[in-house]
Amino acid sequence: PLSVTEVATKMMNNIIHIKTAPEVTSASLPHHKHNDSNDNKSDYEELLCTITELQSDLQNTISLASSLQAENACLVKSHDETKLTLDRTKERYEKTRKSLLKLLEIA
């Protein structure tokens, strides 16, 4: 599992990558040309490359989300255990405090 710092760094890198990616509009997409098969091939290869990059980004995001879910589950478990320990410690404190007050009343 990744550390919290590593996960946060990966998340920030993904966010920066997404924010700096060029906006896709119909004007930015290659236009279909009927005359030249080389241009069509080039357009197809460019689109295929874009799809491959998007698929890779999606896989990385899914992997990161899975890591975050696993880390979150560990943190929730740790939080619950810590809370339980705190409750037990409070009970012991109160018992000890009451015992001490009783001893002080007798003396």
Side-chain angles (χ1 to χ4, degrees), residues 50-62:
T50 301
I51 289 169
T52 303
E53 288 173 1
L54 289 171
Q55 184 177 14
S56 175
D57 289 348
L58 178 60
Q59 289 298 326
N60 290 339
T61 302
I62 290 170

Side-chain angles (χ1 to χ4, degrees), residues 2-16 64 67-68 71:
L2 298 172
S3 72
V4 174
T5 305
E6 291 170 326
V7 171
T9 302
K10 283 188 175 191
M11 285 179 61
M12 289 306 296
N13 288 340
N14 283 345
I15 290 169
I16 290 168
L64 179 60
S67 295
L68 289 172
E71 180 131 8

Side-chain angles (χ1 to χ4, degrees), residues 66-82:
S66 178
S67 295
L68 289 172
Q69 286 175 337
E71 180 131 8
N72 186 53
C74 289
L75 290 172
V76 166
K77 182 179 177 187
S78 176
H79 174 263
D80 291 343
E81 289 171 355
T82 303

Side-chain angles (χ1 to χ4, degrees), residues 81-92:
E81 289 171 355
T82 303
K83 197 173 174 183
L84 185 60
T85 301
L86 176 63
D87 290 342
R88 289 180 186 154
T89 304
K90 283 180 180 179
E91 288 174 13
R92 286 192 358 233

